[in-house]
Amino acid sequence: MTPTLSVRRLAWAGVEIRLGDTRLLIDPLENVAPLAPVMGPPHRPVDPVDTPPGTHALITHLHPDHYDHDLIARIAATGTIGCHTPSAAALHEVGITPVAQDLGQSRRIGELTVIPVTSLDWRGNDCDQVAWVVEGAGRRVIHCGDTQWHGSWWQIARDHGPFDVAFVPVNGVIAHFEGYAANVP
């Protein structure tokens, strides 16, 4: 019997992907305290994330709504933490040893293959952000982190599509940062 790929939404941008004995979390989040000054309290409760041995994680970028340091450190104790190569040094500085990947570089995590692809946030900052393509059991999932529309979508679709499931930001910019403003018509 072929194992089934299962996907479950977690809090905020978090996603859990399972295939057989392989459990992968992308941008898991428990600690919302750093977000309160920028976005206020969450609209829904944020549940604790179960992290049994062998849980692995991928990080799209190091903003506190996608990177929960304490949770990632807990996962790193028994699993791997994947990141885009430019983010690796910052993780090393805080005691996390990541598996760094360049854009387009594939890696196996148990029964899954993970590949970082281009991402671009609302400020035009793409140097440290990625979307993740996850493949397994004949299925493809893309988790886009904070990306907005950019010119690399066509290449991502040609290289890695079609996708069975796509997790994309849909709410638009709701935060206010000094020196940045969302374009509001």
Side-chain angles (χ1 to χ4, degrees):
M1 181 173 193
T2 304
T4 302
L5 183 82
S6 68
V7 180
R8 180 172 69 108
R9 182 179 186 269
L10 302 173
W12 195 249
V15 170
E16 174 189 58
I17 300 173
R18 287 181 182 249
L19 180 59
D21 293 331
T22 305
R23 180 171 186 244
L24 176 66
L25 306 179
I26 304 175
D27 288 353
L29 179 69
E30 282 181 336
N31 181 13
V32 295
L35 308 179
V38 178
M39 296 187 287
H43 296 287
R44 292 188 232 170
V46 176
D47 296 323
V49 177
D50 184 31
T51 58
T55 299
H56 303 273
L58 300 173
I59 303 168
T60 60
H61 61 294
L62 298 178
H63 296 164
D65 59 333
H66 292 259
Y67 164 66
D68 180 333
H69 172 75
D70 293 340
L71 177 54
I72 293 298
R74 203 165 73 231
I75 295 167
T78 62
T80 62
I81 306 299
C83 72
H84 186 212
T85 300
S87 298
L91 291 168
H92 277 290
E93 286 177 15
V94 295
I96 295 171
T97 302
V99 178
Q101 291 175 251
D102 293 325
L103 290 176
Q105 178 185 12
S106 67
R107 172 172 74 99
R108 292 288 291 178
I109 300 175
E111 299 180 52
L112 299 171
T113 299
V114 299
I115 307 161
V117 296
T118 302
S119 183
L120 181 70
D121 77 3
W122 64 278
R123 296 175 293 174
N125 179 3
D126 65 348
C127 66
D128 64 345
Q129 296 196 32
V130 293
W132 287 98
V133 173
V134 180
E135 301 174 352
R139 301 285 185 205
R140 284 192 192 104
V141 176
I142 187 167
H143 181 291
C144 295
D146 267 349
T147 202
Q148 63 178 3
W149 185 256
H150 56 73
S152 295
W153 287 111
W154 305 111
Q155 191 65 46
I156 293 169
R158 277 192 296 271
D159 292 347
H160 305 286
F163 297 103
D164 297 289
V165 178
F167 291 93
V168 295
V170 295
N171 63 336
V173 178
I174 57 170
H176 301 282
F177 297 97
E178 186 176 328
Y180 292 101
N183 291 331
V184 179

